[in-house]
Amino acid sequence: AGGYLALGKLTAKVVSGQWPVASAKPQAANQKSPSSFILHPSSLFSVRTPTALITDLGTEFGVEVSAEGTTESRVFRGSVKVQVVGGTGLASGTPREVILGENESARVQHGEDAENPLVIVRGLADPTAFSSVRPGQLAQVVQERQLEPFRRWQAFSEELRNRDDLLAYYDFQPDESDRLVLRNRAATGRQFDGRIEGGKWTSGRFPGKYALRFGWPGNFVRVNIPVECRRLTLAAWVKLDYLRYLSGLLMSDGWNIDGRDFVGRIAWQIDDGGRMSFCLDNWKNNTYSSPAFNNVGALGHWRHLTVVYVYGPEASRATFYFDGEHVGEGDMTAGVRPTMAAKLGPATIGAWDSRGADRPADAAGDGRSFRGAVDELMIFSEALSPEEIRRLFERGGASAVEKSAAAAAATEKKGEQPMNGP
């Protein structure tokens, strides 16, 4: 038959003026209960506030209560009765009341005299005041709010594109003129555009954002970035469906076999233990993070992955981050080639072309398909700091769930030793 509004805003659309009268057990004199606010003798639908009682007379209306206790009521259709409740200085001790018609409003507030009585102030209704809670307009408001993360990301994305150290930036938003091309949004331009081979466009990490889904042989994006970097940062938003032997995230084509020289070409992937892996050409020099995808909660959700590689004349290191948090690092100076700069060259996103463009068919079939979706991928020609990586994660649209998951992961991994080895 009604309800009590202590603070906030509501609308009610009453299709029938008659409602069953609520009932409750009698309360002790000193016992507080919400029912003491809700129950009233009328069988008409009504809303009680700290200062007023609004009774429906066959209508659609809105009620708002401010933090100061002021009650405002607006009528969209039909009419309501607004009664002042409480206060002092009211004639004959009875509530003051007013009948409101369509497009009218009333505000119940404290008066200005010494006794501070409650008074009714009448006026025309603001048609937009309740747009966020009216049934016909709520869907539009919800849609606008759902697009807020996308708009924040758009602003951050535009900011990123102006960085001098951004070598390539794939935002994974389709180009409607050619949906088989993955545009490089960095200032380096279309020379580093990717070509989509088999990947399927799908929903990204929030409404308005797109991603590419991989997971079958022949599903990947082919790119060619013929550069050499002594410092390199790779960052991506990914949703991994399940773990397999090795899932290629960004991998240069080919390998240094049969006397061919692929020195320094990179391989960034995830193994079946949930660890990120990074290496330069030589499998003996793989470096791994601690397990990142080590529970069901981390699979099937959008996660932010980063690896930072730094070349040194005597030592080289790779450092890994999961949802903006450090999850391990490793020395990469061991092996046949103790130090080398990173080279990308011809490469694939979401798989691996292990034979290279000029090699015969791969007899082993080691395509290392990424089983899931990729939403965004950035390649920096610098080593980003931990603070910058955290900012990429947070400004990139991390939800409260992702942030809490990152905190839990950091707590769980505290004290773990990074693992190196094949």
Side-chain angles (χ1 to χ4, degrees), residues 330-362:
D331 186 347
M332 296 184 66
T333 58
V336 177
R337 300 177 182 85
T339 58
M340 61 183 75
K343 298 177 182 177
L344 283 79
T348 53
I349 301 170
W352 183 35
D353 184 349
S354 60
R355 47 191 179 80
D358 59 345
R359 291 179 178 274
D362 181 10

Side-chain angles (χ1 to χ4, degrees), residues 356-373:
D358 59 345
R359 291 179 178 274
D362 181 10
D366 190 9
R368 305 192 185 184
S369 299
F370 184 89
R371 304 303 174 94

Side-chain angles (χ1 to χ4, degrees), residues 161 282 287 402-403:
R161 299 175 193 193
N282 181 4
T287 300
E402 288 162 340
K403 289 180 180 179

Side-chain angles (χ1 to χ4, degrees), residues 222 251-255 262 265 344 346-348 352-354 356-357:
R222 187 175 293 282
M251 303 187 68
S252 298
D253 291 355
W255 204 245
F262 289 86
R265 292 197 177 181
L344 283 79
T348 53
W352 183 35
D353 184 349
S354 60

Side-chain angles (χ1 to χ4, degrees), residues 16-199:
S16 174
Q18 298 296 321
W19 291 80
V21 177
S23 61
K25 294 180 180 179
Q27 302 293 320
N30 63 346
Q31 186 176 359
K32 301 294 183 181
S33 169
S35 64
S36 63
F37 298 121
I38 296 172
L39 294 180
H40 51 82
S42 172
S43 62
L44 296 175
F45 181 87
S46 62
V47 176
R48 173 79 158 80
T49 77
T51 56
L53 177 66
I54 297 92
T55 303
D56 165 70
L57 301 177
T59 187
E60 180 184 2
F61 66 97
V63 180
E64 180 176 6
V65 179
S66 71
E68 294 75 26
T70 298
T71 297
E72 292 200 39
S73 181
R74 294 172 174 82
V75 179
F76 309 118
R77 296 183 184 87
S79 61
V80 299
K81 180 169 64 175
V82 179
Q83 298 171 282
V84 175
V85 175
T88 60
L90 298 176
S92 69
T94 59
R96 296 178 58 181
E97 65 181 51
V98 64
I99 303 297
L100 298 179
E102 187 168 333
N103 296 323
E104 291 185 325
S105 68
R107 183 171 65 255
V108 179
Q109 62 182 22
H110 293 282
E112 297 179 355
D113 54 281
E115 288 79 15
N116 198 27
L118 298 170
V119 297
I120 291 178
V121 179
R122 187 169 182 158
L124 292 178
D126 178 1
T128 65
F130 285 82
S131 60
S132 63
V133 289
R134 290 190 71 186
Q137 298 168 332
L138 183 58
Q140 180 180 351
V141 173
V142 170
Q143 183 180 24
E144 288 294 316
R145 291 183 178 177
Q146 286 178 337
L147 288 174
E148 286 178 6
F150 177 70
R151 289 168 179 160
R152 288 196 301 268
W153 168 80
Q154 279 184 314
F156 183 53
S157 176
E158 291 293 335
E159 180 184 325
L160 275 176
R161 299 175 193 193
N162 296 321
R163 289 185 59 138
D164 294 335
D165 60 352
L166 187 60
L167 182 61
Y169 174 33
Y170 304 105
D171 64 357
F172 282 75
Q173 293 295 93
D175 183 337
E176 294 303 331
S177 65
D178 187 351
R179 292 177 70 89
L180 294 179
V181 67
L182 184 64
R183 294 295 180 200
N184 168 37
R185 308 297 185 181
T188 47
R190 296 197 172 191
Q191 61 175 329
F192 295 157
D193 283 352
R195 197 68 187 172
I196 301 168
E197 299 191 16

